[in-house]
Amino acid sequence: MSQTPDFDEIINRFGTHSVKWDGMEPLFGVAAADGISMWVADMDFRPPQAVQDALKGMLDHGLYGYFGDDAAYHAAIRWWMSERHAWAVEKDWIFTTHGLVNGTAICVDAFTAPGDGVVLMTPVYHAFARVIKAAGRKVVECPLALEDGRYAMDFAAWDAQMTGAEKMLILCSPHNPGGRVWSVEELRGVADFCARHDLVLVSDEIHHDLVMPGHRHTVMANAAPDATSRLVTLSATTKTFNIAGAHIGNVIIADPALRARFAARMAALGISPNSFGLIMATAAYSPEGAAWLDALIPYIEGNRKLFDAGVNAIPGLRSMPLEATYLAWVDFAGTGMATEEFTRRVEKGARIAANHGPTFGLGGESYMRFNLATPRKVVAEAVARLQTAFSDLQ
Ligand SMILES: Cc1ncc(COP(=O)(O)O)c(C=O)c1O
Protein backbone atom coordinates (compact mmCIF):
# COMPACT_ATOMS: atom_id res chain seq x y z
CA MET A 1 0.00 0.00 0.00
CA SER A 2 1.21 3.51 -0.84
CA GLN A 3 2.28 5.83 1.97
CA THR A 4 3.39 9.45 1.99
CA PRO A 5 7.17 9.33 2.03
CA ASP A 6 8.86 10.86 5.05
CA PHE A 7 12.09 12.29 3.68
CA ASP A 8 12.82 13.95 7.04
CA GLU A 9 13.32 10.62 8.80
CA ILE A 10 16.94 10.07 9.82
CA ILE A 11 17.77 6.45 9.07
CA ASN A 12 20.98 5.04 10.54
CA ARG A 13 22.86 3.41 7.67
CA PHE A 14 26.00 2.42 9.59
CA GLY A 15 26.70 -1.29 9.67
CA THR A 16 24.61 -1.97 6.55
CA HIS A 17 27.53 -2.35 4.08
CA SER A 18 26.69 1.12 2.74
CA VAL A 19 29.71 2.41 0.83
CA LYS A 20 28.48 5.94 1.48
CA TRP A 21 28.35 5.66 5.28
CA ASP A 22 30.50 2.64 6.18
CA GLY A 23 33.08 3.77 3.62
CA MET A 24 33.26 7.33 4.95
CA GLU A 25 35.99 6.74 7.54
CA PRO A 26 38.21 4.31 5.59
CA LEU A 27 37.94 6.24 2.31
CA PHE A 28 37.87 9.87 3.48
CA GLY A 29 39.26 9.77 7.01
CA VAL A 30 36.03 11.38 8.28
CA ALA A 31 35.20 9.75 11.61
CA ALA A 32 31.99 7.74 11.74
CA ALA A 33 31.29 9.15 15.23
CA ASP A 34 30.10 12.54 13.98
CA GLY A 35 30.88 12.71 10.26
CA ILE A 36 28.36 13.57 7.54
CA SER A 37 28.58 11.53 4.36
CA MET A 38 27.79 13.55 1.23
CA TRP A 39 29.76 11.74 -1.43
CA VAL A 40 28.61 8.80 -3.59
CA ALA A 41 25.29 9.32 -5.40
CA ASP A 42 22.75 7.38 -3.41
CA MET A 43 20.05 8.85 -1.21
CA ASP A 44 19.40 8.45 2.52
CA PHE A 45 15.71 7.81 1.78
CA ARG A 46 13.71 4.60 1.51
CA PRO A 47 12.48 3.83 -2.02
CA PRO A 48 8.78 3.92 -2.95
CA GLN A 49 6.59 1.62 -0.86
CA ALA A 50 5.71 -0.27 -4.06
CA VAL A 51 9.36 -1.36 -4.30
CA GLN A 52 9.41 -2.48 -0.66
CA ASP A 53 6.14 -4.38 -1.16
CA ALA A 54 7.45 -6.13 -4.26
CA LEU A 55 10.56 -7.27 -2.37
CA LYS A 56 8.44 -8.38 0.61
CA GLY A 57 6.34 -10.41 -1.83
CA MET A 58 9.48 -12.21 -2.94
CA LEU A 59 10.62 -12.81 0.63
CA ASP A 60 7.22 -14.13 1.69
CA HIS A 61 7.20 -16.55 -1.20
CA GLY A 62 10.74 -17.48 -0.30
CA LEU A 63 12.01 -18.99 -3.55
CA TYR A 64 14.74 -17.29 -5.54
CA GLY A 65 15.12 -19.33 -8.71
CA TYR A 66 15.96 -18.24 -12.24
CA PHE A 67 13.81 -15.44 -13.60
CA GLY A 68 12.06 -16.37 -16.81
CA ASP A 69 9.67 -13.66 -17.89
CA ASP A 70 10.70 -10.08 -18.41
CA ALA A 71 7.43 -9.02 -20.11
CA ALA A 72 6.21 -6.98 -17.11
CA TYR A 73 9.65 -5.44 -16.73
CA HIS A 74 9.78 -4.36 -20.38
CA ALA A 75 6.21 -3.07 -20.21
CA ALA A 76 7.13 -0.98 -17.15
CA ILE A 77 10.12 0.60 -18.91
CA ARG A 78 8.06 1.36 -22.02
CA TRP A 79 5.28 2.86 -19.90
CA TRP A 80 7.71 5.06 -17.98
CA MET A 81 9.52 6.32 -21.06
CA SER A 82 6.26 7.11 -22.79
CA GLU A 83 4.60 8.68 -19.72
CA ARG A 84 7.53 10.68 -18.34
CA HIS A 85 9.68 11.29 -21.41
CA ALA A 86 7.27 11.20 -24.38
CA TRP A 87 9.50 8.52 -25.87
CA ALA A 88 8.09 5.44 -27.63
CA VAL A 89 10.50 2.57 -26.92
CA GLU A 90 10.12 -0.86 -28.52
CA LYS A 91 10.58 -3.96 -26.39
CA ASP A 92 13.35 -5.28 -28.66
CA TRP A 93 15.44 -2.16 -28.16
CA ILE A 94 15.97 -2.85 -24.45
CA PHE A 95 18.98 -4.62 -22.97
CA THR A 96 19.31 -5.14 -19.24
CA THR A 97 22.81 -4.75 -17.85
CA HIS A 98 24.35 -5.06 -14.41
CA GLY A 99 23.92 -1.32 -13.89
CA LEU A 100 25.01 1.49 -16.17
CA VAL A 101 28.74 1.52 -15.48
CA ASN A 102 28.52 -2.04 -16.77
CA GLY A 103 26.37 -0.82 -19.69
CA THR A 104 28.97 1.85 -20.50
CA ALA A 105 31.79 -0.69 -20.34
CA ILE A 106 29.96 -3.01 -22.75
CA CYS A 107 29.47 -0.07 -25.15
CA VAL A 108 33.20 0.67 -25.01
CA ASP A 109 33.88 -2.99 -25.69
CA ALA A 110 31.28 -3.34 -28.47
CA PHE A 111 31.81 -0.11 -30.39
CA THR A 112 35.52 0.71 -30.05
CA ALA A 113 38.85 -1.10 -30.33
CA PRO A 114 41.92 -0.93 -28.07
CA GLY A 115 43.73 2.37 -28.63
CA ASP A 116 40.63 4.22 -29.91
CA GLY A 117 39.65 7.53 -28.35
CA VAL A 118 36.45 8.02 -26.35
CA VAL A 119 35.33 11.62 -25.95
CA LEU A 120 34.14 12.97 -22.58
CA MET A 121 32.97 16.49 -21.77
CA THR A 122 34.78 17.21 -18.55
CA PRO A 123 34.40 17.55 -15.68
CA VAL A 124 32.14 14.50 -15.77
CA TYR A 125 31.11 11.39 -13.80
CA HIS A 126 34.44 9.74 -12.96
CA ALA A 127 33.55 6.09 -13.72
CA PHE A 128 33.44 6.85 -17.46
CA ALA A 129 37.19 7.52 -17.58
CA ARG A 130 37.85 4.55 -15.31
CA VAL A 131 36.19 2.00 -17.59
CA ILE A 132 37.60 3.57 -20.78
CA LYS A 133 41.17 3.39 -19.42
CA ALA A 134 40.70 -0.09 -17.96
CA ALA A 135 39.62 -1.29 -21.42
CA GLY A 136 42.82 0.08 -22.99
CA ARG A 137 41.07 2.93 -24.82
CA LYS A 138 42.08 6.60 -24.63
CA VAL A 139 40.10 9.22 -22.74
CA VAL A 140 39.76 12.37 -24.84
CA GLU A 141 38.87 15.17 -22.47
CA CYS A 142 36.89 18.01 -24.04
CA PRO A 143 36.55 20.67 -21.34
CA LEU A 144 33.17 22.29 -20.84
CA ALA A 145 33.14 26.08 -20.92
CA LEU A 146 31.72 28.22 -18.12
CA GLU A 147 29.06 30.73 -19.15
CA ASP A 148 27.31 32.78 -16.48
CA GLY A 149 28.46 30.27 -13.90
CA ARG A 150 26.98 27.26 -15.71
CA TYR A 151 28.55 24.68 -17.99
CA ALA A 152 28.25 25.20 -21.74
CA MET A 153 29.42 23.25 -24.76
CA ASP A 154 32.32 24.50 -26.86
CA PHE A 155 32.04 22.64 -30.17
CA ALA A 156 34.51 24.87 -32.03
CA ALA A 157 37.27 24.06 -29.54
CA TRP A 158 36.34 20.37 -29.50
CA ASP A 159 36.29 20.12 -33.31
CA ALA A 160 39.89 21.33 -33.26
CA GLN A 161 40.82 18.60 -30.75
CA MET A 162 39.58 15.68 -32.87
CA THR A 163 42.25 13.61 -34.64
CA GLY A 164 40.15 10.92 -36.35
CA ALA A 165 41.14 8.29 -33.76
CA GLU A 166 37.98 8.99 -31.70
CA LYS A 167 35.17 6.47 -32.10
CA MET A 168 32.68 7.21 -29.36
CA LEU A 169 31.36 10.07 -27.23
CA ILE A 170 29.73 9.57 -23.84
CA LEU A 171 27.31 12.35 -22.99
CA CYS A 172 26.05 12.82 -19.44
CA SER A 173 22.51 14.19 -19.78
CA PRO A 174 21.53 15.74 -17.41
CA HIS A 175 25.10 16.49 -16.48
CA ASN A 176 26.86 15.12 -13.40
CA PRO A 177 28.42 17.18 -11.89
CA GLY A 178 27.11 20.67 -12.51
CA GLY A 179 23.46 19.65 -12.89
CA ARG A 180 22.89 21.04 -16.38
CA VAL A 181 19.73 19.98 -18.22
CA TRP A 182 21.00 20.34 -21.78
CA SER A 183 18.72 22.28 -24.12
CA VAL A 184 17.38 20.72 -27.31
CA GLU A 185 19.80 22.94 -29.27
CA GLU A 186 22.75 21.73 -27.20
CA LEU A 187 21.65 18.10 -27.65
CA ARG A 188 21.35 18.62 -31.40
CA GLY A 189 24.80 20.17 -31.31
CA VAL A 190 26.17 16.99 -29.68
CA ALA A 191 24.47 14.82 -32.31
CA ASP A 192 25.91 17.00 -35.11
CA PHE A 193 29.35 16.85 -33.50
CA CYS A 194 29.11 13.03 -33.42
CA ALA A 195 28.01 13.00 -37.08
CA ARG A 196 30.93 15.27 -38.10
CA HIS A 197 33.45 12.99 -36.41
CA ASP A 198 31.62 9.69 -36.98
CA LEU A 199 31.26 8.85 -33.28
CA VAL A 200 28.86 6.44 -31.62
CA LEU A 201 26.81 8.60 -29.26
CA VAL A 202 26.21 7.08 -25.83
CA SER A 203 23.73 9.27 -23.98
CA ASP A 204 23.81 8.43 -20.27
CA GLU A 205 20.48 9.71 -18.97
CA ILE A 206 20.56 8.05 -15.54
CA HIS A 207 19.67 11.40 -13.93
CA HIS A 208 16.86 12.25 -16.36
CA ASP A 209 14.05 11.81 -13.81
CA LEU A 210 15.74 14.00 -11.22
CA VAL A 211 15.02 17.34 -12.84
CA MET A 212 14.30 20.42 -10.76
CA PRO A 213 11.06 22.42 -11.12
CA GLY A 214 11.16 24.83 -14.05
CA HIS A 215 13.46 22.66 -16.18
CA ARG A 216 12.62 20.04 -18.78
CA HIS A 217 14.80 17.18 -19.92
CA THR A 218 14.58 15.97 -23.51
CA VAL A 219 15.77 12.46 -24.29
CA MET A 220 18.42 12.48 -27.01
CA ALA A 221 16.21 10.20 -29.13
CA ASN A 222 13.62 13.00 -29.32
CA ALA A 223 16.07 15.91 -29.56
CA ALA A 224 17.97 14.39 -32.50
CA PRO A 225 15.90 11.71 -34.28
CA ASP A 226 18.40 11.80 -37.15
CA ALA A 227 21.07 10.43 -34.79
CA THR A 228 19.27 7.09 -34.32
CA SER A 229 21.82 5.12 -36.34
CA ARG A 230 24.61 6.08 -33.90
CA LEU A 231 22.62 6.42 -30.65
CA VAL A 232 22.71 4.32 -27.48
CA THR A 233 20.65 5.60 -24.53
CA LEU A 234 21.32 4.55 -20.93
CA SER A 235 18.66 4.92 -18.25
CA ALA A 236 17.85 3.29 -14.93
CA THR A 237 15.53 3.08 -11.97
CA THR A 238 18.44 2.89 -9.56
CA LYS A 239 19.32 6.59 -9.28
CA THR A 240 15.72 7.82 -9.52
CA PHE A 241 14.32 5.50 -6.85
CA ASN A 242 17.41 4.95 -4.70
CA ILE A 243 17.92 1.27 -5.41
CA ALA A 244 21.53 1.44 -6.67
CA GLY A 245 22.41 -1.81 -4.89
CA ALA A 246 20.03 -3.61 -7.27
CA HIS A 247 22.62 -2.94 -10.02
CA ILE A 248 20.22 -2.93 -12.93
CA GLY A 249 20.24 -0.62 -15.94
CA ASN A 250 18.55 -0.18 -19.29
CA VAL A 251 20.58 0.11 -22.47
CA ILE A 252 18.18 1.19 -25.21
CA ILE A 253 19.24 0.90 -28.86
CA ALA A 254 16.83 1.48 -31.76
CA ASP A 255 19.29 0.85 -34.59
CA PRO A 256 19.43 -2.85 -35.57
CA ALA A 257 23.14 -2.83 -36.56
CA LEU A 258 24.27 -1.22 -33.30
CA ARG A 259 21.94 -3.55 -31.44
CA ALA A 260 23.47 -6.62 -33.01
CA ARG A 261 26.97 -5.51 -31.96
CA PHE A 262 25.83 -4.81 -28.40
CA ALA A 263 23.93 -8.11 -28.23
CA ALA A 264 27.03 -10.00 -29.37
CA ARG A 265 29.12 -8.56 -26.52
CA MET A 266 26.36 -9.26 -23.97
CA ALA A 267 26.22 -12.86 -25.16
CA ALA A 268 29.99 -13.23 -25.09
CA LEU A 269 30.12 -11.96 -21.53
CA GLY A 270 27.19 -14.12 -20.42
CA ILE A 271 25.41 -11.23 -18.72
CA SER A 272 21.92 -11.67 -17.35
CA PRO A 273 20.20 -9.63 -14.63
CA ASN A 274 19.27 -10.84 -11.16
CA SER A 275 15.64 -11.31 -10.21
CA PHE A 276 15.80 -8.85 -7.28
CA GLY A 277 16.74 -6.02 -9.64
CA LEU A 278 14.04 -6.95 -12.14
CA ILE A 279 11.33 -7.10 -9.48
CA MET A 280 12.41 -3.81 -7.87
CA ALA A 281 12.73 -1.94 -11.17
CA THR A 282 9.34 -3.17 -12.39
CA ALA A 283 7.70 -1.97 -9.18
CA ALA A 284 9.48 1.39 -9.39
CA TYR A 285 8.44 2.28 -12.94
CA SER A 286 4.79 2.54 -11.89
CA PRO A 287 2.18 5.15 -10.93
CA GLU A 288 3.20 4.63 -7.26
CA GLY A 289 6.84 5.22 -8.20
CA ALA A 290 5.84 8.33 -10.12
CA ALA A 291 3.94 9.74 -7.11
CA TRP A 292 6.95 9.11 -4.85
CA LEU A 293 9.24 10.85 -7.33
CA ASP A 294 6.88 13.81 -7.61
CA ALA A 295 7.13 14.18 -3.82
CA LEU A 296 10.91 13.78 -3.84
CA ILE A 297 11.71 16.53 -6.36
CA PRO A 298 10.39 19.47 -4.28
CA TYR A 299 12.17 18.05 -1.23
CA ILE A 300 15.49 18.00 -3.10
CA GLU A 301 14.76 21.49 -4.40
CA GLY A 302 14.22 22.67 -0.81
CA ASN A 303 17.53 21.09 0.25
CA ARG A 304 19.29 22.71 -2.67
CA LYS A 305 17.95 26.17 -1.80
CA LEU A 306 19.03 25.79 1.82
CA PHE A 307 22.47 24.51 0.83
CA ASP A 308 23.10 27.13 -1.85
CA ALA A 309 21.98 30.03 0.34
CA GLY A 310 24.30 28.92 3.16
CA VAL A 311 27.29 28.03 1.00
CA ASN A 312 27.07 31.05 -1.29
CA ALA A 313 27.11 33.24 1.82
CA ILE A 314 30.68 32.07 2.50
CA PRO A 315 33.05 34.41 0.66
CA GLY A 316 34.99 32.54 -2.02
CA LEU A 317 32.61 29.55 -2.28
CA ARG A 318 30.12 29.17 -5.11
CA SER A 319 27.57 26.40 -5.58
CA MET A 320 26.60 25.92 -9.23
CA PRO A 321 22.85 26.42 -9.84
CA LEU A 322 21.42 22.90 -10.17
CA GLU A 323 18.89 22.20 -12.90
CA ALA A 324 18.91 18.45 -12.21
CA THR A 325 20.46 15.78 -9.95
CA TYR A 326 20.86 16.05 -6.19
CA LEU A 327 24.59 16.69 -6.42
CA ALA A 328 25.80 20.19 -5.55
CA TRP A 329 29.01 21.22 -7.29
CA VAL A 330 30.88 23.77 -5.22
CA ASP A 331 33.76 25.87 -6.51
CA PHE A 332 36.36 26.85 -3.91
CA ALA A 333 38.52 28.83 -6.37
CA GLY A 334 37.45 32.15 -4.87
CA THR A 335 39.11 31.24 -1.56
CA GLY A 336 42.53 31.25 -3.23
CA MET A 337 43.30 28.06 -1.28
CA ALA A 338 45.16 25.06 -2.68
CA THR A 339 43.03 21.94 -3.26
CA GLU A 340 44.63 20.23 -0.23
CA GLU A 341 43.69 23.13 2.04
CA PHE A 342 39.98 23.44 1.18
CA THR A 343 39.65 19.64 1.13
CA ARG A 344 41.26 19.46 4.58
CA ARG A 345 38.86 22.07 5.92
CA VAL A 346 35.84 20.17 4.55
CA GLU A 347 37.00 16.76 5.81
CA LYS A 348 38.79 17.64 9.05
CA GLY A 349 37.10 20.95 9.92
CA ALA A 350 33.49 20.37 8.83
CA ARG A 351 33.79 16.55 9.16
CA ILE A 352 32.06 16.05 5.81
CA ALA A 353 32.96 13.42 3.19
CA ALA A 354 32.39 14.92 -0.28
CA ASN A 355 33.69 13.88 -3.71
CA HIS A 356 37.00 15.43 -4.76
CA GLY A 357 36.67 17.58 -7.90
CA PRO A 358 39.88 16.44 -9.66
CA THR A 359 38.49 12.88 -9.99
CA PHE A 360 35.93 14.30 -12.49
CA GLY A 361 38.68 15.26 -14.95
CA LEU A 362 39.85 18.53 -16.46
CA GLY A 363 38.07 21.53 -14.99
CA GLY A 364 37.24 19.86 -11.66
CA GLU A 365 40.39 20.97 -9.83
CA SER A 366 38.89 23.64 -7.57
CA TYR A 367 35.59 21.85 -6.86
CA MET A 368 33.99 19.41 -4.43
CA ARG A 369 30.67 17.59 -4.96
CA PHE A 370 28.11 17.35 -2.15
CA ASN A 371 25.19 14.91 -2.16
CA LEU A 372 22.02 16.69 -1.01
CA ALA A 373 19.70 13.64 -1.02
CA THR A 374 19.55 13.42 2.74
CA PRO A 375 17.14 14.70 5.40
CA ARG A 376 16.95 18.51 5.52
CA LYS A 377 18.32 18.58 9.08
CA VAL A 378 21.52 16.94 7.84
CA VAL A 379 21.89 19.51 5.05
CA ALA A 380 21.37 22.32 7.58
CA GLU A 381 24.04 20.83 9.86
CA ALA A 382 26.46 20.46 6.93
CA VAL A 383 25.95 24.10 5.95
CA ALA A 384 26.55 25.25 9.53
CA ARG A 385 29.75 23.20 9.71
CA LEU A 386 31.03 24.57 6.40
CA GLN A 387 30.36 28.11 7.60
CA THR A 388 32.40 27.40 10.73
CA ALA A 389 35.22 25.67 8.83
CA PHE A 390 35.61 28.72 6.57
CA SER A 391 34.63 31.33 9.19
CA ASP A 392 37.92 33.20 8.83
CA LEU A 393 36.72 34.22 5.35
CA GLN A 394 33.48 35.80 6.61
C1 LIG B 1 26.12 9.59 -14.99
C2 LIG B 1 26.11 8.32 -14.21
N1 LIG B 1 26.11 7.14 -14.84
C3 LIG B 1 26.11 5.97 -14.16
C4 LIG B 1 26.11 5.96 -12.77
C5 LIG B 1 26.13 4.67 -12.03
O1 LIG B 1 25.35 3.73 -12.61
P1 LIG B 1 25.20 2.25 -12.01
O2 LIG B 1 25.06 2.37 -10.53
O3 LIG B 1 23.95 1.76 -12.67
O4 LIG B 1 26.40 1.49 -12.44
C6 LIG B 1 26.12 7.17 -12.08
C7 LIG B 1 26.15 7.17 -10.61
O5 LIG B 1 26.25 8.16 -9.97
C8 LIG B 1 26.11 8.37 -12.81
O6 LIG B 1 26.11 9.56 -12.18
Side-chain angles (χ1 to χ4, degrees), residues 282-297:
T282 306
Y285 276 156
S286 65
E288 294 80 6
W292 180 92
L293 177 61
D294 290 340
L296 173 76
I297 298 290

Side-chain angles (χ1 to χ4, degrees), residues 318-335:
R318 192 175 174 287
S319 181
M320 204 171 267
L322 279 189
E323 300 166 354
T325 83
Y326 48 72
L327 306 163
W329 186 233
V330 179
D331 189 4
F332 291 79
T335 62

Side-chain angles (χ1 to χ4, degrees), residues 85-108:
H85 297 287
W87 182 23
V89 170
E90 299 293 330
K91 174 172 82 59
D92 296 345
W93 301 356
I94 304 167
F95 295 89
T96 305
T97 57
H98 185 69
L100 290 189
V101 174
N102 178 232
T104 307
I106 300 170
C107 285
V108 169

Side-chain angles (χ1 to χ4, degrees), residues 52-63:
Q52 307 283 52
D53 291 345
L55 269 181
K56 281 199 193 102
M58 276 181 94
L59 291 181
D60 290 345
H61 185 246
L63 286 168

Side-chain angles (χ1 to χ4, degrees), residues 105-119:
I106 300 170
C107 285
V108 169
D109 210 20
F111 304 126
T112 70
D116 284 349
V118 180
V119 177

Side-chain angles (χ1 to χ4, degrees), residues 40-42 97-104 124-128 171-177 204-207 234-236 238-239 243-245 247-249 325-327 369:
V40 67
D42 74 27
T97 57
H98 185 69
L100 290 189
V101 174
N102 178 232
T104 307
V124 75
Y125 177 53
H126 38 75
F128 293 158
L171 171 71
C172 193
S173 175
H175 194 72
N176 165 22
D204 181 336
E205 304 191 15
I206 196 168
H207 295 279
L234 311 182
S235 75
T238 49
K239 203 65 54 186
I243 52 174
H247 267 295
I248 184 162
T325 83
Y326 48 72
L327 306 163
R369 195 191 72 176

